[in-house]
Amino acid sequence: MRTQVVIIGAGPAGLLFGQLLQKQGIENVILEQRSGEYVLSRVRAGLIEEGTVRLLERAGVGQRLHREGLVHEGIEISFGGGRHRIDFRKLTGKAITIYGQTEITRDLMEARSVTGAPTFYEAPAVSLHDTSSERPRVRYRKDTLEAEIECDFIAGCDGFHGISRRTVPEAAIRTYERVHPFGWLGILSETPPVSPELIYVNHERGFALCSMRSQTRSRLYLQCRVDDNIEDWPDERFWGELKLRLDPSAAAAVVTGPAIEKSIAPLRSFVAEPIRFGRLFLAGDAAHIVPPTGAKGLNLAASDVYYLSQAFAEFYEAKSTGGLDTYSDRALARVWQAERFSWWMTRLLHCFPEDSGFDQKVQRAELEFLARSVSAQATLAENYVGLPY
Ligand code: FAD
Ligand code: DHB
């Protein structure tokens, strides 16, 4: 088999990239190791920037997002028993949208099936060949058989644990990493949101985040130990702990109910450099990870594939390699901005086990500064709503 671009991974990065290529008339095949149902069952991101909304519109999947997404013009930061609102609209003129990653994925899968472009599910890529030549090849497994696709380019959109980044020789890649000493326990429940806007909580018992998916569905997170298991957190313990970390009025507004999904995610900062190797390009979590506190992971995946789709359009329409040559630097400049912000939000809001009394006092002073300084709030808002493209 032969195609122009083989995309490895049908997460948000791979599916959005495939859709942008379809719009540009560039032939592509997606290989995904899991089933479509499994990909749709992974509850993760929920918050998208205006730039990502524009990109999803451009990919032809904006309709349901505009109908069902919740537009939020601010967030609240809670500490010391009180809440402080950050007004994005006033400070930046922009807003953010709450719309689940599962819904974005579903919309992209449906749009792809309308175009008829091939996606092979339960078909893991097993090895990449000749990535520096003009005819790279991807070997993949389907059922018990192995097959090969020849292409012009390979897009490694296969997440942090995928094979694309790992096939690059060690000498050709440098990685930067920080593993944070805690995780996030997340639940989804059929209960109304704690408050109309998101609440990010700094508390001596640990961070908490009250988010949502709709007016009747909550998405809630608690900082937990890295070695905690789901079994350590029956529903009653989760709700009890959440209430302890919230201010009294938010705690009184909590409506409890059974968790319909529960998972633990480790917190990691990670960047690979460069993210282009001959005719192999990495995008999304395959190239970089941010801790979720700044809500940047999916938004970065979207900006990577936007730059890459522009570069491929230039290549196929104008025979120019300019965009391909600058992809890595352009995408990484944005990635490092998001890494810095995500690290800063994580540092500001979590309990670090190794912190001294001095560190804790400095953290509190920074929160108090943020609560009273309009320019500090504007800096947070500017980073949170996202950079322009
Ligand atoms: P993935 O979603 O990991 O997709 C990669 C795909 O590749 C997977 O389907 C995998 O099965 C497949 N794959 C792997 N190996 C192979 C192989 N060998 N062959 C074929 N396929 C393969 N981001 C935000 O922007 N906003 C948020 O609010 C937000 N909240 C988050 C909350 C939590 C708790 C977590 C954990 C993350 C959050 N994120 C958020 C981050 C966001 O979910 C990720 O950044 C996003 O999923 C990255 O998309 P991706 O397509 O790059 O990778
Ligand atoms: C959500 C996740 C985040 O990491 C975040 O910072 C905000 C919202 C969410 O899942 O809704």
Side-chain angles (χ1 to χ4, degrees):
M1 201 198 300
R2 192 183 146 69
T3 188
Q4 288 177 301
V5 183
V6 172
I7 300 172
I8 306 176
L15 285 169
L16 179 56
F17 188 46
Q19 196 57 19
L20 294 170
L21 292 184
Q22 286 300 114
K23 292 267 169 205
Q24 293 163 357
I26 301 171
E27 201 180 88
N28 61 91
V29 171
I30 299 185
L31 298 174
E32 165 59 50
Q33 67 176 357
R34 303 288 197 156
S35 68
E37 299 78 67
Y38 181 92
V39 172
L40 279 173
S41 72
R42 278 192 308 232
V43 180
R44 288 155 101 191
L47 189 153
I48 53 176
E49 299 170 358
E50 273 185 14
T52 306
V53 171
R54 297 287 95 77
L55 201 55
L56 291 166
E57 287 167 353
R58 196 184 290 208
V61 291
Q63 299 89 331
R64 195 161 70 95
L65 162 72
H66 285 302
R67 242 183 4 255
E68 297 177 16
L70 306 172
V71 175
H72 283 199
E73 302 200 334
I75 56 167
E76 290 188 302
I77 307 274
S78 164
F79 68 92
R83 271 184 271 161
H84 307 268
R85 182 164 190 267
I86 315 255
D87 188 333
F88 296 156
R89 184 66 84 193
K90 197 165 90 196
L91 294 163
T92 67
K94 291 188 186 165
I96 47 104
T97 301
I98 301 292
Y99 189 64
Q101 177 166 333
T102 45
E103 305 315 306
I104 295 177
T105 307
R106 188 183 302 281
D107 294 343
L108 286 165
M109 279 179 175
E110 280 174 12
R112 186 166 178 87
S113 74
V114 171
T115 69
T119 311
F120 300 141
Y121 284 99
E122 297 177 275
V126 290
S127 54
L128 314 185
H129 303 271
D130 301 334
T131 51
S132 301
S133 80
E134 290 192 357
R135 289 278 172 275
R137 288 171 295 121
V138 179
R139 279 191 81 74
Y140 69 98
R141 196 167 49 239
K142 181 70 190 160
D143 304 322
T144 51
L145 298 176
E146 278 203 10
E148 205 168 86
I149 315 181
E150 192 188 86
C151 54
D152 298 336
F153 297 101
I154 303 170
C157 300
D158 48 352
F160 184 68
H161 301 287
I163 64 152
S164 302
R165 191 185 65 251
R166 280 186 281 129
T167 61
V168 176
E170 248 177 61
I173 193 166
R174 175 151 185 208
T175 59
Y176 301 83
E177 182 166 31
R178 175 166 298 181
V179 178
H180 302 281
F182 37 73
W184 275 21
L185 168 68
I187 72 158
L188 199 61
S189 76
E190 283 304 343
T191 53
V194 175
S195 179
E197 293 182 332
L198 270 58
I199 311 177
Y200 285 82
V201 185
N202 168 273
H203 191 275
E204 64 205 14
R205 298 182 67 89
F207 168 82
L209 169 60
C210 301
S211 181
M212 65 199 71
R213 288 293 174 269
S214 71
Q215 302 302 355
T216 57
R217 188 174 272 201
S218 286
R219 177 70 171 155
L220 302 156
Y221 298 99
L222 288 179
Q223 176 180 352
C224 65
R225 293 163 52 105
V226 244
D227 52 359
D228 275 356
N229 296 309
I230 295 297
E231 300 72 50
D232 301 327
W233 286 93
D235 293 355
E236 312 73 65
R237 181 178 174 206
F238 184 94
W239 292 111
E241 185 62 34
L242 178 69
K243 287 183 190 171
L244 287 175
R245 296 185 192 184
L246 294 175
D247 64 277
S249 81
V254 171
V255 179
T256 62
I260 52 177
E261 193 269 350
K262 197 182 278 173
S263 53
I264 292 180
L267 263 70
R268 184 192 303 273
S269 302
F270 174 89
V271 183
E273 280 194 10
I275 54 174
R276 182 246 175 122
F277 310 89
R279 290 199 164 213
L280 166 66
F281 295 81
L282 304 180
D285 281 13
H288 40 74
I289 296 284
V290 284
T293 330
K296 291 288 173 222
L298 189 148
N299 292 296
L300 280 181
S303 70
D304 284 354
V305 301
Y306 167 66
Y307 294 139
L308 202 53
S309 67
Q310 278 193 324
F312 280 16
E314 271 180 46
F315 178 83
Y316 284 110
E317 281 162 25
K319 298 275 163 282
S320 156
T321 61
L324 299 177
D325 296 337
T326 53
Y327 166 69
S328 186
D329 287 346
R330 205 173 165 208
L332 284 168
R334 195 180 178 100
V335 166
W336 279 112
Q337 291 298 313
E339 288 288 346
R340 185 205 66 78
F341 176 64
S342 304
W343 166 83
W344 179 81
M345 282 282 279
T346 302
R347 190 74 197 81
L348 180 73
L349 293 167
H350 290 75
C351 256
F352 283 72
E354 74 275 17
D355 267 5
S356 64
F358 179 85
D359 298 322
Q360 289 165 1
K361 288 282 189 188
V362 169
Q363 187 191 52
R364 172 56 75 89
E366 181 142 24
L367 284 161
E368 282 166 0
F369 181 69
L370 179 65
R372 69 174 164 74
S373 160
V374 176
S375 65
Q377 291 173 19
T379 303
L380 188 158
E382 190 185 337
N383 280 280
Y384 197 92
V385 299
L387 298 170
Y389 279 96

mmCIF file of all heavy atoms in Angstrom, residues 249-288:
data_model
loop_
_atom_site.group_PDB
_atom_site.id
_atom_site.type_symbol
_atom_site.label_atom_id
_atom_site.label_comp_id
_atom_site.label_asym_id
_atom_site.label_seq_id
_atom_site.Cartn_x
_atom_site.Cartn_y
_atom_site.Cartn_z
ATOM 1 N N SER A 249 -18.683 27.804 51.262
ATOM 2 C CA SER A 249 -19.864 27.934 50.395
ATOM 3 C C SER A 249 -19.795 26.965 49.225
ATOM 4 O O SER A 249 -20.814 26.403 48.814
ATOM 5 C CB SER A 249 -20.099 29.379 49.951
ATOM 6 O OG SER A 249 -19.265 29.699 48.869
ATOM 7 N N ALA A 250 -18.590 26.727 48.679
ATOM 8 C CA ALA A 250 -18.462 25.737 47.595
ATOM 9 C C ALA A 250 -18.751 24.338 48.152
ATOM 10 O O ALA A 250 -19.449 23.547 47.515
ATOM 11 C CB ALA A 250 -17.072 25.799 46.974
ATOM 12 N N ALA A 251 -18.232 24.049 49.344
ATOM 13 C CA ALA A 251 -18.449 22.708 49.935
ATOM 14 C C ALA A 251 -19.939 22.453 50.128
ATOM 15 O O ALA A 251 -20.428 21.347 49.873
ATOM 16 C CB ALA A 251 -17.701 22.593 51.262
ATOM 17 N N ALA A 252 -20.665 23.516 50.530
ATOM 18 C CA ALA A 252 -22.114 23.351 50.760
ATOM 19 C C ALA A 252 -22.855 23.110 49.446
ATOM 20 O O ALA A 252 -23.950 22.542 49.440
ATOM 21 C CB ALA A 252 -22.663 24.594 51.458
ATOM 22 N N ALA A 253 -22.261 23.541 48.315
ATOM 23 C CA ALA A 253 -22.935 23.400 47.015
ATOM 24 C C ALA A 253 -22.669 22.045 46.356
ATOM 25 O O ALA A 253 -23.251 21.745 45.315
ATOM 26 C CB ALA A 253 -22.477 24.526 46.087
ATOM 27 N N VAL A 254 -21.782 21.242 46.949
ATOM 28 C CA VAL A 254 -21.433 19.958 46.314
ATOM 29 C C VAL A 254 -22.627 19.001 46.358
ATOM 30 O O VAL A 254 -23.214 18.781 47.411
ATOM 31 C CB VAL A 254 -20.220 19.299 47.032
ATOM 32 C CG1 VAL A 254 -19.998 17.870 46.531
ATOM 33 C CG2 VAL A 254 -18.963 20.143 46.843
ATOM 34 N N VAL A 255 -22.993 18.479 45.189
ATOM 35 C CA VAL A 255 -24.018 17.423 45.120
ATOM 36 C C VAL A 255 -23.268 16.128 44.809
ATOM 37 O O VAL A 255 -22.549 16.057 43.816
ATOM 38 C CB VAL A 255 -25.043 17.710 43.993
ATOM 39 C CG1 VAL A 255 -26.084 16.603 43.905
ATOM 40 C CG2 VAL A 255 -25.692 19.073 44.195
ATOM 41 N N THR A 256 -23.389 15.141 45.676
ATOM 42 C CA THR A 256 -22.623 13.912 45.476
ATOM 43 C C THR A 256 -23.429 12.887 44.668
ATOM 44 O O THR A 256 -24.646 13.002 44.557
ATOM 45 C CB THR A 256 -22.214 13.272 46.825
ATOM 46 O OG1 THR A 256 -23.409 12.925 47.509
ATOM 47 C CG2 THR A 256 -21.406 14.237 47.671
ATOM 48 N N GLY A 257 -22.725 11.936 44.103
ATOM 49 C CA GLY A 257 -23.365 10.885 43.307
ATOM 50 C C GLY A 257 -22.300 9.874 42.929
ATOM 51 O O GLY A 257 -21.108 10.116 43.159
ATOM 52 N N PRO A 258 -22.690 8.736 42.330
ATOM 53 C CA PRO A 258 -21.685 7.731 41.986
ATOM 54 C C PRO A 258 -20.746 8.221 40.878
ATOM 55 O O PRO A 258 -21.187 8.930 39.971
ATOM 56 C CB PRO A 258 -22.521 6.538 41.505
ATOM 57 C CG PRO A 258 -23.902 7.047 41.289
ATOM 58 C CD PRO A 258 -24.066 8.333 42.021
ATOM 59 N N ALA A 259 -19.478 7.850 40.981
ATOM 60 C CA ALA A 259 -18.519 8.179 39.918
ATOM 61 C C ALA A 259 -18.790 7.267 38.732
ATOM 62 O O ALA A 259 -18.859 6.048 38.901
ATOM 63 C CB ALA A 259 -17.100 7.979 40.429
ATOM 64 N N ILE A 260 -18.948 7.853 37.522
ATOM 65 C CA ILE A 260 -19.153 6.996 36.346
ATOM 66 C C ILE A 260 -17.829 6.718 35.649
ATOM 67 O O ILE A 260 -17.742 5.901 34.751
ATOM 68 C CB ILE A 260 -20.202 7.575 35.362
ATOM 69 C CG1 ILE A 260 -19.878 9.031 35.005
ATOM 70 C CG2 ILE A 260 -21.605 7.457 35.936
ATOM 71 C CD1 ILE A 260 -20.849 9.630 33.989
ATOM 72 N N GLU A 261 -16.781 7.421 36.090
ATOM 73 C CA GLU A 261 -15.422 7.133 35.597
ATOM 74 C C GLU A 261 -14.490 7.606 36.685
ATOM 75 O O GLU A 261 -14.761 8.607 37.356
ATOM 76 C CB GLU A 261 -15.156 7.885 34.295
ATOM 77 C CG GLU A 261 -13.921 7.424 33.527
ATOM 78 C CD GLU A 261 -12.638 8.182 33.882
ATOM 79 O OE1 GLU A 261 -12.704 9.207 34.603
ATOM 80 O OE2 GLU A 261 -11.563 7.757 33.446
ATOM 81 N N LYS A 262 -13.396 6.881 36.863
ATOM 82 C CA LYS A 262 -12.426 7.270 37.896
ATOM 83 C C LYS A 262 -11.051 6.847 37.404
ATOM 84 O O LYS A 262 -10.875 5.709 36.970
ATOM 85 C CB LYS A 262 -12.769 6.536 39.197
ATOM 86 C CG LYS A 262 -12.136 7.097 40.432
ATOM 87 C CD LYS A 262 -12.506 6.265 41.653
ATOM 88 C CE LYS A 262 -13.867 6.613 42.217
ATOM 89 N NZ LYS A 262 -14.269 5.685 43.306
ATOM 90 N N SER A 263 -10.102 7.758 37.424
ATOM 91 C CA SER A 263 -8.755 7.373 36.977
ATOM 92 C C SER A 263 -7.701 8.238 37.663
ATOM 93 O O SER A 263 -8.012 9.322 38.177
ATOM 94 C CB SER A 263 -8.632 7.511 35.455
ATOM 95 O OG SER A 263 -9.028 8.809 35.069
ATOM 96 N N ILE A 264 -6.471 7.736 37.668
ATOM 97 C CA ILE A 264 -5.357 8.488 38.266
ATOM 98 C C ILE A 264 -4.341 8.790 37.176
ATOM 99 O O ILE A 264 -3.970 7.897 36.405
ATOM 100 C CB ILE A 264 -4.707 7.691 39.419
ATOM 101 C CG1 ILE A 264 -5.691 7.585 40.587
ATOM 102 C CG2 ILE A 264 -3.393 8.344 39.869
ATOM 103 C CD1 ILE A 264 -5.185 6.833 41.804
ATOM 104 N N ALA A 265 -3.923 10.044 37.072
ATOM 105 C CA ALA A 265 -2.919 10.421 36.069
ATOM 106 C C ALA A 265 -1.676 10.954 36.790
ATOM 107 O O ALA A 265 -1.798 11.767 37.707
ATOM 108 C CB ALA A 265 -3.486 11.499 35.149
ATOM 109 N N PRO A 266 -0.482 10.484 36.388
ATOM 110 C CA PRO A 266 0.730 11.058 36.978
ATOM 111 C C PRO A 266 0.947 12.461 36.410
ATOM 112 O O PRO A 266 0.394 12.792 35.363
ATOM 113 C CB PRO A 266 1.829 10.106 36.496
ATOM 114 C CG PRO A 266 1.292 9.492 35.238
ATOM 115 C CD PRO A 266 -0.207 9.506 35.340
ATOM 116 N N LEU A 267 1.713 13.288 37.102
ATOM 117 C CA LEU A 267 1.996 14.630 36.583
ATOM 118 C C LEU A 267 3.439 14.699 36.107
ATOM 119 O O LEU A 267 4.360 14.407 36.881
ATOM 120 C CB LEU A 267 1.739 15.709 37.648
ATOM 121 C CG LEU A 267 0.347 16.375 37.525
ATOM 122 C CD1 LEU A 267 -0.731 15.389 37.926
ATOM 123 C CD2 LEU A 267 0.271 17.625 38.362
ATOM 124 N N ARG A 268 3.603 15.107 34.854
ATOM 125 C CA ARG A 268 4.916 15.084 34.244
ATOM 126 C C ARG A 268 5.087 16.298 33.343
ATOM 127 O O ARG A 268 4.136 16.745 32.701
ATOM 128 C CB ARG A 268 4.983 13.810 33.386
ATOM 129 C CG ARG A 268 6.302 13.513 32.708
ATOM 130 C CD ARG A 268 6.137 12.407 31.662
ATOM 131 N NE ARG A 268 5.589 11.160 32.154
ATOM 132 C CZ ARG A 268 6.311 10.179 32.688
ATOM 133 N NH1 ARG A 268 7.611 10.286 32.798
ATOM 134 N NH2 ARG A 268 5.728 9.073 33.092
ATOM 135 N N SER A 269 6.321 16.823 33.309
ATOM 136 C CA SER A 269 6.690 17.813 32.295
ATOM 137 C C SER A 269 7.746 17.132 31.442
ATOM 138 O O SER A 269 8.693 16.540 31.982
ATOM 139 C CB SER A 269 7.318 19.054 32.932
ATOM 140 O OG SER A 269 6.444 19.651 33.871
ATOM 141 N N PHE A 270 7.609 17.202 30.126
ATOM 142 C CA PHE A 270 8.548 16.493 29.243
ATOM 143 C C PHE A 270 8.591 17.181 27.890
ATOM 144 O O PHE A 270 7.552 17.561 27.347
ATOM 145 C CB PHE A 270 8.063 15.037 29.059
ATOM 146 C CG PHE A 270 8.869 14.250 28.057
ATOM 147 C CD1 PHE A 270 9.988 13.536 28.450
ATOM 148 C CD2 PHE A 270 8.515 14.238 26.710
ATOM 149 C CE1 PHE A 270 10.736 12.814 27.523
ATOM 150 C CE2 PHE A 270 9.250 13.528 25.772
ATOM 151 C CZ PHE A 270 10.370 12.817 26.185
ATOM 152 N N VAL A 271 9.798 17.387 27.363
ATOM 153 C CA VAL A 271 9.932 17.924 26.004
ATOM 154 C C VAL A 271 11.048 17.183 25.281
ATOM 155 O O VAL A 271 12.134 16.980 25.844
ATOM 156 C CB VAL A 271 10.279 19.438 25.995
ATOM 157 C CG1 VAL A 271 10.335 19.970 24.558
ATOM 158 C CG2 VAL A 271 9.286 20.252 26.799
ATOM 159 N N ALA A 272 10.772 16.760 24.040
ATOM 160 C CA ALA A 272 11.814 16.184 23.179
ATOM 161 C C ALA A 272 12.244 17.267 22.190
ATOM 162 O O ALA A 272 11.415 18.040 21.712
ATOM 163 C CB ALA A 272 11.253 14.982 22.421
ATOM 164 N N GLU A 273 13.530 17.304 21.903
ATOM 165 C CA GLU A 273 14.041 18.271 20.914
ATOM 166 C C GLU A 273 15.073 17.599 20.028
ATOM 167 O O GLU A 273 15.955 16.922 20.568
ATOM 168 C CB GLU A 273 14.721 19.449 21.628
ATOM 169 C CG GLU A 273 13.754 20.465 22.151
ATOM 170 C CD GLU A 273 14.451 21.777 22.544
ATOM 171 O OE1 GLU A 273 15.641 21.954 22.228
ATOM 172 O OE2 GLU A 273 13.798 22.598 23.176
ATOM 173 N N PRO A 274 15.039 17.757 18.719
ATOM 174 C CA PRO A 274 13.977 18.412 17.944
ATOM 175 C C PRO A 274 12.778 17.475 17.827
ATOM 176 O O PRO A 274 12.774 16.381 18.417
ATOM 177 C CB PRO A 274 14.636 18.615 16.584
ATOM 178 C CG PRO A 274 15.582 17.449 16.459
ATOM 179 C CD PRO A 274 16.085 17.187 17.855
ATOM 180 N N ILE A 275 11.775 17.881 17.032
ATOM 181 C CA ILE A 275 10.622 16.994 16.840
ATOM 182 C C ILE A 275 10.413 16.680 15.352
ATOM 183 O O ILE A 275 9.362 16.244 14.942
ATOM 184 C CB ILE A 275 9.338 17.547 17.506
ATOM 185 C CG1 ILE A 275 9.011 18.969 17.050
ATOM 186 C CG2 ILE A 275 9.498 17.502 19.001
ATOM 187 C CD1 ILE A 275 7.668 19.467 17.601
ATOM 188 N N ARG A 276 11.495 16.916 14.572
ATOM 189 C CA ARG A 276 11.498 16.474 13.178
ATOM 190 C C ARG A 276 12.791 15.709 12.926
ATOM 191 O O ARG A 276 13.871 16.170 13.312
ATOM 192 C CB ARG A 276 11.439 17.703 12.259
ATOM 193 C CG ARG A 276 11.383 17.354 10.786
ATOM 194 C CD ARG A 276 12.632 17.790 10.033
ATOM 195 N NE ARG A 276 12.576 17.322 8.661
ATOM 196 C CZ ARG A 276 12.632 18.114 7.607
ATOM 197 N NH1 ARG A 276 12.744 19.408 7.769
ATOM 198 N NH2 ARG A 276 12.608 17.601 6.398
ATOM 199 N N PHE A 277 12.666 14.544 12.305
ATOM 200 C CA PHE A 277 13.828 13.704 12.003
ATOM 201 C C PHE A 277 13.660 13.239 10.568
ATOM 202 O O PHE A 277 12.898 12.300 10.315
ATOM 203 C CB PHE A 277 13.879 12.503 12.959
ATOM 204 C CG PHE A 277 13.738 12.918 14.396
ATOM 205 C CD1 PHE A 277 12.480 13.004 14.979
ATOM 206 C CD2 PHE A 277 14.854 13.273 15.143
ATOM 207 C CE1 PHE A 277 12.329 13.433 16.279
ATOM 208 C CE2 PHE A 277 14.711 13.702 16.453
ATOM 209 C CZ PHE A 277 13.449 13.781 17.022
ATOM 210 N N GLY A 278 14.278 13.915 9.635
ATOM 211 C CA GLY A 278 14.098 13.562 8.220
ATOM 212 C C GLY A 278 12.641 13.706 7.836
ATOM 213 O O GLY A 278 12.069 14.790 7.897
ATOM 214 N N ARG A 279 12.024 12.568 7.529
ATOM 215 C CA ARG A 279 10.618 12.621 7.099
ATOM 216 C C ARG A 279 9.655 12.116 8.181
ATOM 217 O O ARG A 279 8.501 11.818 7.910
ATOM 218 C CB ARG A 279 10.451 11.866 5.794
ATOM 219 C CG ARG A 279 11.136 12.657 4.671
ATOM 220 C CD ARG A 279 10.653 12.248 3.328
ATOM 221 N NE ARG A 279 11.035 13.253 2.331
ATOM 222 C CZ ARG A 279 10.312 13.547 1.273
ATOM 223 N NH1 ARG A 279 9.176 12.942 1.064
ATOM 224 N NH2 ARG A 279 10.728 14.457 0.411
ATOM 225 N N LEU A 280 10.180 12.033 9.404
ATOM 226 C CA LEU A 280 9.328 11.710 10.559
ATOM 227 C C LEU A 280 9.108 12.979 11.391
ATOM 228 O O LEU A 280 10.071 13.650 11.779
ATOM 229 C CB LEU A 280 10.004 10.632 11.421
ATOM 230 C CG LEU A 280 9.431 10.415 12.824
ATOM 231 C CD1 LEU A 280 8.007 9.857 12.766
ATOM 232 C CD2 LEU A 280 10.329 9.467 13.639
ATOM 233 N N PHE A 281 7.843 13.292 11.662
ATOM 234 C CA PHE A 281 7.488 14.474 12.462
ATOM 235 C C PHE A 281 6.702 14.024 13.682
ATOM 236 O O PHE A 281 5.753 13.253 13.543
ATOM 237 C CB PHE A 281 6.630 15.432 11.626
ATOM 238 C CG PHE A 281 7.362 16.017 10.463
ATOM 239 C CD1 PHE A 281 7.497 15.289 9.285
ATOM 240 C CD2 PHE A 281 7.943 17.269 10.545
ATOM 241 C CE1 PHE A 281 8.200 15.811 8.205
ATOM 242 C CE2 PHE A 281 8.647 17.802 9.472
ATOM 243 C CZ PHE A 281 8.779 17.079 8.295
ATOM 244 N N LEU A 282 7.083 14.496 14.870
ATOM 245 C CA LEU A 282 6.318 14.181 16.087
ATOM 246 C C LEU A 282 5.345 15.321 16.369
ATOM 247 O O LEU A 282 5.664 16.491 16.136
ATOM 248 C CB LEU A 282 7.250 14.023 17.295
ATOM 249 C CG LEU A 282 8.376 12.994 17.196
ATOM 250 C CD1 LEU A 282 9.187 12.982 18.501
ATOM 251 C CD2 LEU A 282 7.821 11.593 16.915
ATOM 252 N N ALA A 283 4.164 14.975 16.911
ATOM 253 C CA ALA A 283 3.194 16.011 17.292
ATOM 254 C C ALA A 283 2.401 15.553 18.508
ATOM 255 O O ALA A 283 2.164 14.363 18.708
ATOM 256 C CB ALA A 283 2.235 16.283 16.126
ATOM 257 N N GLY A 284 1.983 16.510 19.335
ATOM 258 C CA GLY A 284 1.166 16.208 20.518
ATOM 259 C C GLY A 284 1.984 15.532 21.614
ATOM 260 O O GLY A 284 3.203 15.757 21.744
ATOM 261 N N ASP A 285 1.306 14.686 22.404
ATOM 262 C CA ASP A 285 1.959 14.064 23.570
ATOM 263 C C ASP A 285 3.153 13.184 23.182
ATOM 264 O O ASP A 285 3.974 12.853 24.041
ATOM 265 C CB ASP A 285 0.948 13.210 24.356
ATOM 266 C CG ASP A 285 0.036 14.050 25.261
ATOM 267 O OD1 ASP A 285 0.010 15.281 25.113
ATOM 268 O OD2 ASP A 285 -0.650 13.456 26.125
ATOM 269 N N ALA A 286 3.271 12.782 21.926
ATOM 270 C CA ALA A 286 4.454 12.027 21.490
ATOM 271 C C ALA A 286 5.703 12.885 21.624
ATOM 272 O O ALA A 286 6.812 12.382 21.821
ATOM 273 C CB ALA A 286 4.285 11.579 20.040
ATOM 274 N N ALA A 287 5.526 14.203 21.536
ATOM 275 C CA ALA A 287 6.663 15.132 21.534
ATOM 276 C C ALA A 287 6.856 15.828 22.876
ATOM 277 O O ALA A 287 7.975 16.214 23.233
ATOM 278 C CB ALA A 287 6.454 16.185 20.446
ATOM 279 N N HIS A 288 5.766 16.018 23.618
ATOM 280 C CA HIS A 288 5.856 16.798 24.867
ATOM 281 C C HIS A 288 4.672 16.507 25.769
ATOM 282 O O HIS A 288 3.577 16.193 25.298
ATOM 283 C CB HIS A 288 5.894 18.301 24.554
ATOM 284 C CG HIS A 288 4.957 18.677 23.441
ATOM 285 N ND1 HIS A 288 3.602 18.731 23.607
ATOM 286 C CD2 HIS A 288 5.184 18.968 22.132
ATOM 287 C CE1 HIS A 288 3.026 19.055 22.461
ATOM 288 N NE2 HIS A 288 3.954 19.196 21.536
#
